[in-house]
């Protein structure tokens, strides 16, 4: 087998471009340099005066996190595929002879950003880029939440009671290795799913309640462009509705209308939105032990046409990037969900830019 030459590599790159390399589209459309100031501030590397191997470029490492999130990769698999795939190398600006960060380096980089709480600033930085490109939040906003699974914990009833009370179980306190593998922030909840029609054509009287362990991703998207504008991470058992009053509403949207499902319908939320100048289009709940009035049914149906757009965001994140929490603790879960939100917004930006160019 002959040794690959420069023109052989260039020809392979040209073929990848012709086949539609998504990462090449990312490089062409997203200016990753805008993240550099926030990355360098969060990392706070030394000036190198004390010697040692210099760190990898911060933007290159952030682009590796984007690759990870896009493809739902572990650190070890990320290291392997960067060495293996020309498309990954081109996206990162690496040549065949360049040094590639190993799995431990990727983990340390992400951990440093996590502990610095940098993900919110990185998200806001890209949101500012969207606004500068003309994608202002318009036409109101839609709120919703989705459950994000985490590895199940095998705890005793006593340990669960301690965790719910905010205490560290006594048996864990003198076992640091065990404590480091225990997720004390994720919670169990019930996920309700519509019952399916039986083989005989009948419908069960109640929906299915499935136990679920993990976290919850809360988002607010703008109705016009469907970008995520505000987001928050909580444990899976946290109430959806209470998050509305915790910074999930975007006051910069050009319209004041807010759409959400019945989980967000409460007197406290309605009063809050009225006070803050928002117009509620939140679904109304069915009266207890009474049939739903016809006019409310029609009103809710009209709202659902708009509100359902937020479901596409969660479907995209779970089907395209396999959103799942592999780490331990809510700080790392926030980092994972924040990266998923940035990558979703980038992919949405690529889509809208492609439509704009074709039009």
């Amino acid at each position: 087998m002959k040794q690959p030459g420069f023109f052989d590599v260039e020809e392979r790159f040209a073929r990848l471009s012709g086949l539609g390399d998504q990462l090449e589209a990312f490089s062409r459309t997203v200016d990753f340099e805008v993240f550099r100031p926030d990355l360098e501030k969060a990392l706070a590397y030394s000036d190198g005066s004390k010697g040692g191997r210099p760190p990898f470029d911060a933007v290159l490492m952030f682009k590796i996190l984007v690759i990870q999130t896009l493809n739902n990769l572990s650190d070890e698999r990320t290291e392997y595929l960067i060495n293996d795939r020309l498309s990954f190398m081109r996206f990162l600006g690496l040549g065949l002879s360049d040094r590639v960060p190993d799995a431990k380096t990727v983990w340390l980089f992400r951990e440093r950003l996590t502990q610095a709480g940098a993900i919110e600033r990185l998200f806001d930085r890209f949101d500012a880029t969207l606004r500068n490109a003309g994608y202002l939040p318009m036409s109101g906003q839609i709120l919703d939440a989705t459950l994000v699974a985490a590895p199940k914990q095998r705890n005793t009833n006593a340990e669960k009671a301690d965790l719910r009370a905010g205490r560290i179980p006594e048996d864990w306190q003198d076992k640091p290795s065990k404590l480091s593998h225990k997720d004390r922030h994720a919670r169990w909840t019930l996920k309700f799913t519509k019952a399916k029609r039986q083989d005989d054509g009948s419908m069960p009287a109640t929906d299915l309640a499935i136990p679920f362990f993990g976290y919850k991703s809360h988002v607010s998207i703008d109705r016009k462009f469907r970008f995520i504008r505000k987001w928050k991470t909580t444990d899976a058992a946290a109430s959806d509705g209470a998050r509305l009053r915790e910074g999930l509403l975007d006051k910069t949207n050009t319209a004041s209308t807010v759409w959400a499902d019945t989980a967000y319908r409460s007197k406290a939320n309605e009063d809050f939105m009225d006070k803050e100048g928002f117009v509620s289009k939140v679904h109304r709940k069915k009266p207890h032990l009474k049939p739903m009035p016809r006019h409310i049914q029609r009103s809710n149906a009209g709202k659902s046409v708009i509100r359902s757009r937020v479901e596409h965001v969660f479907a995209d994140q779970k089907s395209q990037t396999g959103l799942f929490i592999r780490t331990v603790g809510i700080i790392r879960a926030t980092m994972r969900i924040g990266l998923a939100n940035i990558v979703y917004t980038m992919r949405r930006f690529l889509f809208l830019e492609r439509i704009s160019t074709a039009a």
Side-chain angles (χ1 to χ4, degrees), residues 54-329:
F56 284 96
D57 180 74
V59 174
L60 178 146
M61 294 300 298
F62 180 68
K63 291 169 79 173
I64 289 178
L65 298 188
V66 171
I67 287 176
Q68 264 195 320
T69 306
L70 271 171
N71 298 278
N72 190 27
L73 301 174
S74 66
D75 295 336
E76 291 74 17
R77 188 66 177 165
T78 299
E79 178 188 356
Y80 172 79
L81 288 177
I82 291 173
N83 282 281
D84 183 64
R85 291 190 181 179
L86 286 175
S87 60
F88 284 13
M89 292 183 191
R90 176 166 66 174
F91 177 62
L92 299 173
L94 296 174
L96 292 175
S97 60
D98 289 331
R99 187 165 61 99
V100 173
D102 60 20
K104 184 65 173 180
T105 302
V106 175
W107 184 90
L108 288 170
F109 175 80
R110 186 177 58 252
E111 187 70 6
R112 197 154 185 166
L113 291 183
T114 301
Q115 298 306 321
I119 191 61
E120 288 86 357
R121 294 196 296 274
L122 294 170
F123 181 89
D124 291 343
R125 178 70 66 179
F126 189 61
D127 185 64
T129 300
L130 296 176
R131 293 167 189 259
N132 292 335
Y135 294 99
L136 299 175
M138 294 182 179
S139 305
Q141 55 197 297
I142 309 169
L143 274 61
D144 205 356
T146 190
L147 294 168
V148 183
K152 296 179 178 64
Q153 304 283 294
R154 307 299 179 183
N155 301 325
T156 65
N157 290 334
E159 290 170 342
K160 292 177 183 177
D162 284 337
L163 293 174
R164 284 194 294 269
R167 299 187 298 267
I168 299 177
E170 185 177 352
D171 185 48
W172 300 1
Q173 295 178 13
D174 57 350
K175 298 178 180 178
S177 59
K178 181 176 183 177
L179 183 60
S180 67
H181 288 86
K182 288 293 187 177
D183 196 330
R184 291 174 283 142
H185 302 117
R187 291 290 183 270
W188 284 96
T189 189
L190 290 176
K191 180 179 181 180
F192 291 94
T193 303
K194 291 290 184 182
K196 297 181 179 179
R197 190 176 296 277
Q198 301 298 305
D199 293 338
D200 60 2
S202 63
M203 287 292 293
T206 58
D207 293 335
L208 301 177
I210 303 171
F212 185 95
F213 184 80
Y215 293 91
K216 190 176 286 186
S217 170
H218 308 261
V219 303
S220 171
I221 69 169
D222 67 279
R223 179 188 173 192
K224 173 70 173 179
F225 299 113
R226 305 185 197 180
F227 289 127
I228 297 173
R229 300 293 183 170
K230 299 287 184 179
W231 61 279
K232 189 177 183 68
T233 301
T234 66
D235 64 77
S239 164
D240 294 0
R243 308 288 82 77
L244 181 144
R245 306 188 300 276
E246 297 178 356
L248 206 57
L249 291 177
D250 183 9
K251 295 183 178 180
T252 67
N253 198 292
T254 59
S256 57
T257 319
V258 177
W259 284 268
D261 62 26
T262 55
Y264 296 86
R265 169 67 68 171
S266 69
K267 187 178 186 304
N269 282 349
E270 295 300 307
D271 291 344
F272 177 83
M273 286 189 282
D274 185 61
K275 180 181 177 181
E276 297 294 324
F278 293 103
V279 177
S280 174
K281 291 290 184 181
V282 179
H283 283 223
R284 291 189 177 274
K285 298 179 181 179
K286 176 182 175 297
H288 184 57
L289 299 178
K290 294 181 181 179
M292 177 75 83
R294 184 63 61 86
H295 71 281
I296 294 181
Q297 285 184 3
R298 289 196 296 266
S299 175
N300 282 351
K303 294 171 184 176
S304 292
V305 174
I306 296 172
R307 194 205 63 80
S308 62
R309 296 176 186 178
V310 73
E311 302 291 350
H312 301 167
V313 177
F314 299 137
D316 181 274
Q317 288 182 321
K318 292 183 178 181
S319 64
Q320 297 297 320
T321 63
L323 183 56
F324 181 83
I325 304 298
R326 289 191 176 94
T327 53
V328 173

